[in-house]
Amino acid sequence: MSQQNEAGRFLGEDESRPYHVHQAVVDSPFVMISDHAGRMVPEKLGDLGLPRDEWDRHIAYDIGIQEVGRHLQQALGCLLVEQVYSRLVIDCNRAAGHPTSIPPVSDGAPVQGNQGLSAAERQQREDAILHAYHDEIERHLARRKLDETLFVSLHSFTPAMQDGQARPWHIGLLHDHDPHSARLMRELLEDEGDLCVGDNQPYVLNVQNEYSVPYHAGRRNLPALEIEIRQDLISDEAGQRLWAERLARLLPLFWEKRKDHM
């Protein structure tokens, strides 16, 4: 059975595809993705057994990052591929079968619709959403000159851990195969003078914990940045625009700096 047919059975004909593509309008080196931009749920899954207020929490999506990504895309004119379904349906920054791919409990909230799933039910979500989203990204990368491409993955993180421990970083740069790019971008951010910049904080990027950057950029040895912005800084329009404008100013500077260091 093809992925398209499987997707057709899982997603209704009137339901959204798992990705929304903002096409490039200029010749840009930047390919941006946003794994947790949306919080839609396929009709057949209902509310997954979660109260309405849980869908406004970080467990459902990366708060603020959709708006930052769209402002940034408009400023740079580059490609942006967004994943539109909630990370509670399936986390598109996890490999198929990963223990946290379809969480039965998320940050203390039981997700009844994710509990006791059969292998076939998991496969439906993987085919209809996870693989379809990443296949779309692959199609765009396949058309590009990879030596003229920077892969940028956009995320946001909570201001504190579950135990209440504060996360002091305003922005974090995650890296695995490409620490060089992270170091150059960190220098530019720190030159702003008022930012606490995390180096592989608040998370460590590796192939065991994440999927998108290792799969699309790591195996190609493609230059990459995974950017994490603290959610309280981008929870309103002013913050979203401020961070998009900052990144729209710094990313071209970073790209020129990186080329000089080749």
Side-chain angles (χ1 to χ4, degrees):
M1 185 69 70
S2 71
Q3 287 185 11
Q4 183 177 2
N5 289 337
E6 288 290 328
R9 291 199 298 170
F10 185 71
L11 299 174
E13 291 183 1
D14 297 330
E15 290 190 90
S16 175
R17 294 179 297 182
Y19 50 82
H20 182 75
V21 178
H22 302 262
Q23 298 286 356
V25 295
V26 299
D27 185 12
S28 171
F30 308 120
V31 170
M32 300 195 304
I33 68 164
S34 192
D35 297 326
H36 304 141
R39 51 178 163 168
M40 295 174 59
V41 182
E43 292 176 5
K44 69 181 301 178
L45 299 183
D47 59 10
L48 290 173
L50 281 170
R52 181 65 259 169
D53 58 348
E54 296 286 5
W55 291 97
D56 294 326
R57 295 180 59 210
H58 70 96
I59 63 174
Y61 69 121
D62 274 6
I63 295 168
I65 205 64
Q66 181 184 82
E67 294 82 3
V68 171
R70 291 184 178 188
H71 290 316
L72 183 56
Q73 188 273 335
Q74 290 173 4
L76 294 174
C78 63
L79 175 74
L80 169 64
V81 183
E82 299 173 334
Q83 204 286 114
V84 306
Y85 287 100
S86 173
R87 64 193 304 171
L88 291 173
V89 176
I90 188 165
D91 190 331
C92 284
N93 196 24
R94 300 291 184 271
H98 192 279
T100 62
S101 172
I102 305 176
V105 178
S106 184
D107 196 10
V111 187
Q112 295 177 4
N114 289 349
Q115 296 175 0
L117 296 182
S118 68
E121 288 170 323
R122 296 182 68 92
Q123 186 73 49
Q124 277 194 322
R125 298 192 198 188
E126 291 167 0
D127 287 345
I129 298 175
L130 174 72
H131 296 314
Y133 168 65
H134 286 291
D135 286 351
E136 180 66 12
I137 297 169
E138 285 289 286
R139 280 191 285 273
H140 289 280
L141 288 175
R143 304 182 189 123
R144 298 186 59 90
K145 295 180 180 178
L146 296 184
D147 59 349
E148 299 176 6
T149 296
L150 175 73
F151 191 78
V152 182
S153 181
L154 300 172
H155 293 269
S156 68
F157 65 95
T158 58
M161 299 284 287
Q162 283 181 265
D163 61 7
Q165 181 180 351
R167 288 166 157 169
W169 312 282
H170 299 105
I171 184 170
L173 298 173
L174 310 190
H175 57 85
D176 185 11
H177 75 284
D178 185 19
H180 177 60
S181 289
R183 179 180 60 81
L184 294 178
M185 187 64 179
R186 186 171 71 250
E187 291 172 357
L188 289 171
L189 286 162
E190 289 174 344
D191 285 346
E192 298 282 283
D194 58 350
L195 296 179
C196 181
V197 183
D199 179 16
N200 259 345
Q201 297 284 0
Y203 311 106
V204 174
L205 171 61
N206 59 49
V207 71
Q208 289 77 36
N209 296 332
E210 299 207 10
Y211 183 66
S212 296
V213 170
Y215 179 69
H216 295 293
R219 66 189 172 93
R220 293 181 166 94
N221 200 29
L222 187 65
L225 290 173
E226 181 161 335
I227 296 172
E228 292 264 2
I229 306 173
R230 207 173 69 203
Q231 289 171 357
D232 60 318
L233 303 177
I234 55 172
S235 60
D236 60 20
E237 175 72 11
Q240 292 155 7
R241 286 191 176 276
L242 184 151
W243 277 94
E245 289 167 2
R246 172 177 278 142
L247 292 174
R249 173 168 48 83
L250 294 182
L251 279 170
L253 293 176
F254 157 82
W255 188 243
E256 290 304 313
K257 187 175 181 180
R258 193 184 191 285
K259 288 193 294 184
D260 290 342
H261 283 73
M262 292 295 286

